[in-house]
């Protein structure tokens, strides 16, 4: 399912947008600040971001700049009350993909979302291809050179998170953010084992490697094509 991150500090508007998007067949998650948005992006993978500009603390411009430094592809739509040309120009210069001025018709917003996803070639099936390795989230499957690689669910989820943000260092806790309580604590104690297993099972992958960042955690490093 397509995941959309809604960054809007107005609680009522945030809830309205998320409810409408969820009813329209998407999986929308709302946050109320740029800082919360960055935490969400490092915890899960999203297909599109809808962001306000005027927010307490870090504004939408700063958020877009940080996102673009990490991810050049994810569509970003500004949904804001600012209707001046300079704001639009600054947003597009920072790399956003679309700009809508409040108040908006939610059905029109849906048309913009569909167009952005279409241009980004994002489909319901989420698949990452790096070198000879294909990681398919919908099927929870990994292949190397067309041959299936058997991973546990935990191993798959850690791999998918690492490859979704190559070069981003994740702590052990961040790699297990989808879990809570005893399950998460157990995961923290065994995450090194999962990483060791992934390295062994994906030894023939030619597009990336999982490296240890001493004192911090792990990251996926893309290999330079020869």
């Amino acid at each position: 399912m397509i995941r959309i991150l809604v960054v809007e500090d107005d609680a009522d508007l945030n809830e309205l947008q998320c409810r409408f998007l969820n009813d329209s067949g998407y999986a929308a998650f709302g946050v109320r600040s740029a800082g919360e948005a960055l935490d969400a992006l490092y915890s899960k993978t999203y297909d599109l971001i809808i962001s306000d500009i005027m927010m307490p603390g870090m504004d939408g411009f700063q958020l877009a700049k940080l996102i673009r430094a990490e991810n050049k592809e994810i569509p970003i739509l500004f949904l804001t009350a600012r209707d001046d040309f300079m704001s639009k120009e600054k947003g597009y210069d920072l790399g956003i993909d679309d700009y809508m001025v409040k108040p908006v018709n939610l059905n029109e917003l849906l048309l913009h979302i569909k167009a952005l996803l279409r241009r980004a070639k994002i489909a319901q099936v989420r698949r990452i291809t790096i070198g000879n390795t294909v990681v398919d989230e919908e099927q929870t499957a990994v292949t190397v050179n067309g041959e299936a690689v058997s991973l546990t669910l935990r191993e798959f989820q850690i791999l998918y998170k690492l490859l979704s943000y190559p070069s981003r260092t994740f702590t052990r806790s961040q790699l297990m953010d989808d879990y809570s309580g005893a399950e998460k604590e157990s995961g923290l104690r065994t995450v090194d084992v999962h990483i060791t297993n992934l390295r062994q099972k994906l030894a023939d992958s030619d597009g990336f490697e999982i490296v240890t960042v001493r004192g911090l955690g792990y990251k996926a490093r893309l290999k330079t094509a020869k």
Side-chain angles (χ1 to χ4, degrees):
M1 182 176 288
I2 299 296
R3 299 192 187 106
I4 298 177
L5 181 64
V6 176
V7 191
E8 169 59 62
D9 64 317
D10 184 298
D12 292 336
L13 185 54
N14 193 314
E15 182 182 357
L16 175 64
Q17 291 176 13
C18 288
R19 185 169 63 248
F20 175 78
L21 293 172
N22 288 329
D23 290 344
S24 299
Y26 299 105
F29 178 70
V31 295
R32 296 178 59 188
S33 71
E36 290 179 4
L38 292 175
D39 289 340
L41 288 167
Y42 295 150
S43 297
K44 286 184 170 57
T45 304
Y46 292 90
D47 300 288
L48 183 141
I49 299 167
I50 300 174
S51 178
D52 193 5
I53 293 177
M54 297 178 290
M55 295 181 287
M58 186 189 306
D59 64 19
F61 294 126
Q62 295 169 296
L63 175 61
K65 184 177 181 180
L66 289 174
I67 292 171
R68 279 292 173 256
E70 296 285 341
N71 189 323
K72 305 295 185 184
E73 306 300 329
I74 186 171
I76 302 174
L77 187 159
F78 270 177
L79 182 55
T80 176
R82 297 182 64 162
D83 194 19
D84 59 288
F85 177 78
M86 290 183 63
S87 293
K88 295 177 182 178
E89 183 179 41
K90 183 175 181 179
Y92 284 115
D93 284 346
L94 287 171
I96 71 163
D97 301 276
D98 203 353
Y99 193 110
M100 298 184 72
V101 178
K102 300 173 183 175
V104 299
N105 180 292
L106 291 177
N107 289 313
E108 182 180 355
L109 173 62
L110 196 60
L111 294 177
H112 282 249
I113 290 171
K114 289 179 179 178
L116 287 172
L117 294 173
R118 184 168 60 249
R119 288 201 296 270
K121 296 183 173 58
I122 295 173
Q124 291 292 332
V125 176
R126 298 182 51 81
R127 182 178 293 118
I128 297 174
T129 301
I130 300 178
N132 63 348
T133 304
V134 177
V135 183
D136 189 324
E137 188 191 36
E138 185 74 13
Q139 301 296 324
T140 318
V142 177
T143 61
V144 177
N145 289 321
E147 297 292 327
V149 178
S150 178
L151 301 182
T152 67
L153 178 60
R154 295 292 182 271
E155 290 166 356
F156 180 88
Q157 290 166 330
I158 290 172
L159 176 66
Y160 194 86
K161 182 174 286 190
L162 288 170
L163 294 185
S164 294
Y165 295 92
S167 299
R168 162 63 57 181
T169 298
F170 289 93
T171 65
R172 291 166 179 80
S173 179
Q174 288 172 326
L175 288 173
M176 302 302 290
D177 268 348
D178 292 338
Y179 315 107
S180 60
E183 186 177 15
K184 182 173 181 178
E185 291 303 314
S186 175
L188 290 176
R189 291 193 295 270
T190 60
V191 67
D192 294 337
V193 176
H194 293 321
I195 293 293
T196 297
N197 291 339
L198 284 170
R199 286 170 172 162
Q200 294 173 347
K201 294 178 180 182
L202 300 169
D204 293 331
S205 295
D206 62 9
F208 69 94
E209 59 183 338
I210 299 173
V211 299
T212 301
V213 181
R214 188 176 299 274
L216 293 176
Y218 299 97
K219 68 179 180 179
R221 182 166 60 197
L222 301 184
K223 296 180 181 178
T224 303
K226 298 180 179 179

